Amino acid sequence: MNMETTAVMAPPAPRGLAEMRLPIVMMRDILLKTIFRKNIELVSELSEAICLPIPVTQELVDMARSQKLLEATGTLSATSGNEMGYQLTDAGKTRAMDALSQSEYFGAMPVPLDVYREQVKRQSIRNIQVTRDQLTRAMGHLVLPDSLLDHLGPAVSAGRSILMYGPPGNGKSSISNGIRDALGDNVYVPRAIEYSGQVITVYDPIVHNAVEQEPDDPTQLRRRRRFDSRYVMCERPTVITGGELSLDMLDLVYNPTARTYQAPLQLKSTGGIFIIDDLGRQAEPPQAIINRWIVPLEEGKDILGLQSGEKFEVPFDTLVIFSTNFHPNEIFDQAALRRIFFKIKIDGPSQENFLKIFALVARKKGIPLDEPSLVHLLKRKYPTIENVYANYQPIFLIDQMIAICEFEGIPYQMTPDLIDRAWANMFVKDETIVK
């Protein structure tokens, strides 16, 4: 992504308290709590802790001083540009502890939900145009028919929902990851957002891969603020869930001790991809899971609820990829299928592509190809399963042969006998077990 695009997307840093659009008492209390918890005295350090420019931080400090909650220490720090130090007054300590009893949140100032909505539009996943070359490069490690890219390309560029279905073991998960890699640019993820006086943490280092930035020089009062540092510049996020997904994972998570909320998975994936793998293996039926997504998919917004019962809208700007081994008609009604914009069948490889995959895996694993063994595999083994090929099979068979060679203490090799022994572990025979 070019720098011009980055500049357009970047959230501008606030230039004063008037631009913050947060309750003034909330900002003051977060300031006091941060000083109390982190024992900070210098405005430059406080600016870093609450993620605001120094002039805005100084405004907050001056306001707290006018309310007798902060006082100057009366000493200048020679190591920090001769900055004046500040400390909590007794009234300030009392207020900080009272504020902590209401909410343990301190540190980065949250971004108002309405301000975050504006940023989501600037970096919308629907603004991305993925070219065939980008998708081909991202899928370069996969052997795929050209016709599949013909279907995937428009689906990804549209930023709409995708349903991938077909027999297991044919790379639906790998294709999903390839789509993620094809996006290739960055977005700005808020550390926390604010709605109705409540703080909702969004940035999650488990989900978000931060892009390293050159650190500002803490000794300089005029720092280079490339963007609002209440955000973290990250690669477009990818959230992957499987059989463990439950509907309550899509709700706000309330921490009763800290009295703050954590964003649900789909909000953390804003601007990126949400992959629901193995659809049909969850505790809830697939129809119920799809029903939960109908409003977000159609209207580009999601509805979340606070502990008080109040409902509110958040932006939904996510490419949702459903992946299932079941035929869609078996698990959805037609109304649900209409809500999914693209349906793409992922079949097993042709014999030609199977051999390409087999050769690639063998070369990578360091096991020499053997023509009689391949003929044995194709002419003797695959007819027993009606010549149904799957993308996982080359890796499985080669790993099995390697394990046998290592156990027997012989060099890596491929023989008809090793093919037979590997094949025996790929399938379980139907038989009656006598108890």
Side-chain angles (χ1 to χ4, degrees):
M1 190 175 64
N2 60 46
M3 293 305 294
E4 184 180 352
T5 306
T6 303
V8 170
M9 285 175 51
R15 291 169 294 185
L17 287 182
E19 291 186 9
M20 293 291 293
R21 291 160 63 177
L22 285 170
I24 198 76
V25 171
M26 173 186 236
M27 290 191 287
R28 183 205 65 193
D29 285 353
I30 289 176
L31 177 91
L32 298 177
K33 288 187 286 185
T34 304
I35 293 173
F36 184 81
R37 284 289 192 225
K38 304 192 81 167
N39 196 27
I40 295 173
E41 291 188 356
L42 301 178
V43 172
S44 59
E45 294 175 352
L46 192 52
S47 165
E48 196 76 21
I50 64 175
C51 299
L52 291 181
I54 285 179
V56 184
T57 305
Q58 187 67 57
E59 271 192 79
L60 272 174
V61 167
D62 291 343
M63 181 186 68
R65 282 188 75 189
S66 71
Q67 297 176 1
K68 311 295 186 192
L69 301 172
L70 279 181
E71 60 186 3
T73 60
T75 57
L76 296 174
S77 173
T79 59
S80 299
N82 289 325
E83 280 190 71
M84 177 67 71
Y86 297 92
Q87 64 187 15
L88 294 168
T89 63
D90 288 342
K93 290 176 184 175
T94 300
R95 179 58 208 162
M97 288 188 286
D98 184 47
L100 283 165
S101 70
Q102 296 173 44
S103 167
E104 276 283 340
Y105 184 84
F106 64 92
M109 206 65 69
V111 177
L113 178 57
D114 286 342
V115 175
Y116 177 50
R117 282 196 184 99
E118 296 165 8
Q119 181 58 29
V120 170
K121 290 177 184 176
R122 283 193 286 267
Q123 61 193 26
S124 173
I125 194 162
R126 296 191 183 185
N127 295 341
I128 292 180
Q129 290 300 312
V130 176
T131 65
R132 182 179 288 272
D133 285 346
Q134 285 174 301
L135 201 55
T136 301
R137 282 197 301 271
M139 303 284 186
H141 61 298
L142 303 174
V143 177
L144 302 172
D146 291 338
S147 59
L148 180 56
L149 292 182
D150 294 340
H151 295 298
L152 276 177
V156 176
S157 287
R160 306 290 289 271
S161 52
I162 301 172
L163 171 64
M164 292 193 294
Y165 65 98
N170 283 312
K172 291 186 289 295
S173 300
S174 298
I175 291 168
S176 299
N177 292 331
I179 291 172
R180 172 197 63 195
D181 296 341
L183 300 181
D185 61 349
N186 302 319
V187 293
Y188 297 86
V189 179
R191 300 173 195 273
I193 57 177
E194 174 272 341
Y195 172 76
S196 190
Q198 301 297 316
V199 176
I200 303 165
T201 58
V202 179
Y203 173 70
D204 181 347
I206 296 174
V207 171
H208 301 109
N209 293 323
V211 177
E212 287 191 15
Q213 299 283 299
E214 290 182 19
D216 287 326
D217 183 352
T219 65
Q220 293 182 0
L221 289 179
R222 291 186 174 274
R223 302 189 203 177
R224 293 177 293 109
R225 291 287 178 180
R226 291 174 294 276
F227 57 87
D228 186 344
S229 58
R230 290 178 295 169
Y231 294 82
V232 181
M233 188 162 77
C234 301
E235 297 172 7
R236 286 192 181 267
T238 300
V239 172
I240 303 176
T241 65
E244 79 283 0
L245 177 66
S246 59
L247 291 178
D248 59 8
M249 293 167 67
L250 306 178
D251 297 328
L252 284 173
V253 179
Y254 182 68
N255 184 327
T257 303
R259 295 181 177 83
T260 58
Y261 293 87
Q262 184 180 113
L265 294 174
Q266 72 276 20
L267 188 53
K268 291 180 181 180
S269 69
T270 299
I273 300 177
F274 193 114
I275 299 171
I276 302 176
D277 211 356
D278 282 332
L279 189 62
R281 304 294 183 194
Q282 292 76 17
E284 282 96 354
Q287 186 71 47
I289 292 175
I290 287 289
N291 288 345
R292 171 62 180 82
W293 294 88
I294 285 177
V295 170
L297 290 175
E298 289 194 339
E299 301 185 17
K301 62 185 181 184
D302 198 9
I303 310 295
L304 299 178
L306 300 174
Q307 284 287 106
S308 64
E310 181 182 357
K311 304 288 185 181
F312 63 103
E313 294 179 2
V314 294
F316 185 86
D317 186 74
T318 303
L319 171 60
V320 182
I321 301 177
F322 301 98
S323 174
T324 182
N325 299 332
F326 297 95
H327 192 283
N329 291 338
E330 295 176 10
I331 55 176
F332 303 125
D333 61 25
Q334 290 304 307
L337 282 175
R338 281 199 308 273
R339 265 73 181 210
I340 302 175
F341 209 68
F342 293 91
K343 297 104 175 158
I344 301 174
K345 187 177 183 185
I346 310 295
D347 274 321
S350 63
Q351 186 183 88
E352 179 185 359
N353 280 344
F354 171 84
L355 288 172
K356 284 182 184 177
I357 298 168
F358 199 94
L360 286 171
V361 174
R363 188 181 307 121
K364 183 177 179 181
K365 301 272 188 179
I367 185 168
L369 290 172
D370 177 70
E371 187 173 344
S373 299
L374 288 174
V375 170
H376 178 73
L377 178 64
L378 297 179
K379 300 299 184 184
R380 294 295 181 92
K381 309 312 289 185
Y382 271 97
T384 65
I385 58 167
E386 299 179 348
N387 294 313
V388 176
Y389 300 96
N391 284 312
Y392 80 92
Q393 292 165 350
I395 297 174
F396 185 94
L397 291 169
I398 288 169
D399 281 348
Q400 287 282 330
M401 285 187 280
I402 287 173
I404 295 168
C405 289
E406 290 177 345
F407 175 73
E408 300 289 359
I410 58 177
Y412 287 178
Q413 57 192 274
M414 190 179 297
T415 67
D417 177 60
L418 288 174
I419 290 284
D420 286 343
R421 291 175 69 179
W423 184 271
N425 284 323
M426 197 157 65
F427 302 102
V428 177
K429 292 180 181 178
D430 288 330
E431 55 186 345
T432 303
I433 298 176
V434 179
K435 296 181 181 179

